[in-house]
Amino acid sequence: MTRASGPAPFLLRMKFLFIHQNFPGQFRHVAKALANEPTHEVVAIGEAENLKRLPQLHPRIKTLAYPAPPPVQAQTHPYLRDFERHVRRGQQVARLCIALKERGFEPDVVVVHPGWGEALFIRDVFPQARHIHYLEYFYHGTGGDVDFDPEFPSTVDDKARVRVKNSTQLPGLVDCDAGISPTQWQCSRYPQEFRSKIHVIHEGIDTDAVQPNAQATFACDGHRFRLGDEVITYVARNLEPYRGFHVFMRALPKIQAHSPNAHVVVVGGDDVSYGSHPRNASNYRELYAAELGDTVAWDRVHFVGRVPYPEFVSLMQVSACHVYLTYPFVLSWSLLEAMSAGALVLASATEPVQEVVTSGLNGLLVDFHDTEAIARQVAEVLRQPAAYAALRQAARETVQQRYDLRRQCLPQWLSLLTGRAPSLPQGR
């Protein structure tokens, strides 16, 4: 198979290699769909510790693991520490790929997330394959996450650091045959000269599985919440400033002043996915809880940690108002899933969100930093839930029309990877 710049012609038998340190990551749906085709061969590579934590995605996907890179030496320049880890990770992945090649496996298509270095040397091992990179985010010193929050001001040092951080992705931008970005805004962060090869395709939301359910309930701390209860929800993978956790926490006293009977359910872990750890506390939840003290009625605030996916869906189905805050950064799946479940979304007026939510049409937008505006708008939603029913319906329709897994996104992924979009089942 010769290298091509356009979509590969469909082959009855194709070999696919997916590479992601946290496989399946964003490749869950497309890898599974390809493995369902008995003529295809699908191999996946991921970091060993991450793979151990996850159940097998599909019995026909052969999964290979590599060890985490060793710790970086203290004398390594701070700007280069990430890059050194990425180079070591790239070497480990290349060795696995060489072993695959020696055993006779040569992929027609390689799909890889380049953000952690895994893509650095794969073209050298499989020069004839078609290489598709998942392009999630390209850092800038201004206009994105780095200089957004005045509470965490950026420095020249920060700008220099993220410039070097991009160096992991740059060789792949030159080398890859095609890229995929999940949103137009995330695509726009990449240099103009590379955008012509980037396809904007979201991973997709299973709107058949995530839909409104008037009988849903969510239980925590001795309560069982139902649709119609005054339940305010907040969800993030980890509770941290990048997702506006500090703003949401500081809005709590005002939210409770306006809505004294409401309960708040907070979903998320205590680690850090983005940015840095707090200096004076073990995690941000403890930091801001200590800061707020008795200004919050904590018996009506429920920190439930990370919950199983079905419980998350149930929570979105009973939510009276779902608050989603984010820096100008990667858009969370949880926002689209909340909309698909029919939740009333109150979100920050930041660029990635504004691509999806139009205030007053399919949700509500507020200034990221304005805790008083957040509290007032939450109270208004709780006072007049019927007035916002049309926004809930429009939110679901937005996801169905633009981000539906089976009818929109997955066919586009498959078309790009194989040259055709096979017929897909309409149910789960």
Side-chain angles (χ1 to χ4, degrees), residues 232 248 255 258-259 262 321 323 346 364 373-383:
I232 303 158
F248 181 73
I255 288 173
H258 287 292
S259 308
C321 184
V323 181
L346 173 62
L364 300 166
I374 293 170
R376 285 199 309 269
Q377 189 63 79
V378 168
E380 181 65 21
V381 169
L382 296 186
R383 274 197 301 269

Coordinates of all heavy atoms in Angstrom, one line a residue, residues 232 248 255 258-259 262 321 323 346 364 373-383:
I232 N -28.8 20.8 41.5 CA -27.8 21.5 40.7 C -26.6 20.6 40.6 O -26.2 20.0 41.6 CB -27.4 22.8 41.4 CG1 -28.6 23.7 41.7 CG2 -26.3 23.6 40.6 CD1 -28.4 24.8 42.8
F248 N -17.1 27.8 40.7 CA -18.3 27.1 41.1 C -18.4 27.1 42.6 O -19.4 27.4 43.2 CB -18.4 25.7 40.5 CG -19.6 25.0 40.9 CD1 -20.8 25.3 40.4 CD2 -19.6 24.0 41.8 CE1 -22.0 24.7 40.7 CE2 -20.7 23.3 42.2 CZ -22.0 23.6 41.6
I255 N -25.4 30.9 45.5 CA -26.5 29.9 45.0 C -27.4 29.5 46.2 O -28.6 29.5 46.0 CB -25.8 28.7 44.4 CG1 -25.1 29.0 43.1 CG2 -26.8 27.6 44.2 CD1 -24.3 27.9 42.5
H258 N -29.8 32.4 47.2 CA -30.9 32.5 46.2 C -31.8 31.3 46.2 O -33.0 31.4 46.0 CB -30.4 32.7 44.8 CG -29.8 34.0 44.6 ND1 -30.5 35.2 44.6 CD2 -28.5 34.4 44.3 CE1 -29.7 36.2 44.3 NE2 -28.5 35.8 44.1
S259 N -31.3 30.1 46.5 CA -32.0 28.8 46.4 C -31.8 28.0 47.6 O -31.1 27.0 47.6 CB -31.6 28.1 45.1 OG -31.6 28.9 44.0
A262 N -32.2 24.0 47.5 CA -31.5 23.2 46.5 C -30.4 22.4 47.0 O -29.8 22.7 48.0 CB -30.9 24.2 45.4
C321 N -30.5 22.0 36.9 CA -29.6 22.9 36.3 C -28.2 22.4 36.3 O -27.6 22.1 37.4 CB -29.6 24.3 37.0 SG -28.6 25.6 36.1
V323 N -24.3 23.0 35.7 CA -23.3 24.1 35.5 C -22.0 23.5 34.9 O -21.4 22.6 35.5 CB -23.0 24.7 36.9 CG1 -22.0 25.9 36.7 CG2 -24.3 25.3 37.5
L346 N -26.1 25.5 32.1 CA -25.7 26.9 32.3 C -24.1 26.8 32.2 O -23.5 26.2 33.1 CB -26.1 27.3 33.7 CG -25.5 28.7 34.2 CD1 -26.0 29.8 33.3 CD2 -25.9 28.9 35.6
L364 N -27.8 28.2 28.5 CA -27.6 29.6 29.0 C -26.1 29.8 29.2 O -25.4 28.8 29.6 CB -28.3 29.8 30.3 CG -29.8 29.6 30.3 CD1 -30.4 29.5 31.7 CD2 -30.5 30.8 29.6
A373 N -23.6 36.2 38.8 CA -24.4 35.9 37.6 C -24.8 34.4 37.6 O -25.9 34.0 37.2 CB -23.7 36.3 36.3
I374 N -23.8 33.6 37.9 CA -24.1 32.1 38.0 C -25.2 31.8 39.0 O -26.2 31.1 38.7 CB -22.8 31.4 38.4 CG1 -21.8 31.5 37.2 CG2 -23.1 29.9 38.7 CD1 -20.4 30.9 37.6
A375 N -25.1 32.4 40.2 CA -26.1 32.2 41.2 C -27.5 32.7 40.8 O -28.5 32.0 41.0 CB -25.6 32.8 42.5
R376 N -27.5 33.9 40.3 CA -28.8 34.4 39.9 C -29.5 33.6 38.8 O -30.7 33.4 38.8 CB -28.7 35.9 39.4 CG -28.4 36.9 40.4 CD -28.7 38.3 39.9 NE -28.0 38.6 38.7 CZ -26.8 39.1 38.5 NH1 -26.1 39.4 39.6 NH2 -26.2 39.3 37.4
Q377 N -28.7 33.2 37.8 CA -29.3 32.4 36.7 C -29.7 31.0 37.2 O -30.8 30.5 36.8 CB -28.3 32.2 35.6 CG -28.8 31.6 34.3 CD -29.9 32.5 33.7 OE1 -29.7 33.5 33.0 NE2 -31.2 32.1 33.9
V378 N -29.0 30.4 38.1 CA -29.4 29.1 38.6 C -30.7 29.3 39.4 O -31.7 28.5 39.2 CB -28.3 28.5 39.6 CG1 -28.9 27.4 40.4 CG2 -27.1 28.1 38.9
A379 N -30.8 30.3 40.1 CA -32.1 30.6 40.9 C -33.3 30.8 40.0 O -34.4 30.3 40.2 CB -31.9 31.8 41.8
E380 N -33.0 31.5 38.9 CA -34.1 31.7 37.9 C -34.6 30.4 37.3 O -35.8 30.2 37.1 CB -33.6 32.7 36.8 CG -34.7 33.0 35.8 CD -35.9 33.8 36.3 OE1 -35.7 34.4 37.4 OE2 -36.9 33.8 35.7
V381 N -33.6 29.6 36.9 CA -34.0 28.3 36.4 C -34.8 27.4 37.4 O -35.8 26.8 37.0 CB -32.7 27.5 35.9 CG1 -33.0 26.1 35.6 CG2 -32.0 28.2 34.7
L382 N -34.4 27.4 38.6 CA -35.1 26.6 39.6 C -36.5 27.2 39.9 O -37.4 26.4 40.2 CB -34.2 26.6 40.9 CG -32.9 25.9 40.8 CD1 -32.3 25.8 42.2 CD2 -33.0 24.5 40.2
R383 N -36.6 28.5 39.8 CA -37.9 29.1 40.1 C -38.9 28.8 39.0 O -40.1 28.7 39.2 CB -37.8 30.6 40.3 CG -37.4 31.1 41.7 CD -37.7 32.6 41.9 NE -36.9 33.4 40.9 CZ -35.7 33.9 41.2 NH1 -35.1 33.6 42.4 NH2 -35.1 34.6 40.3

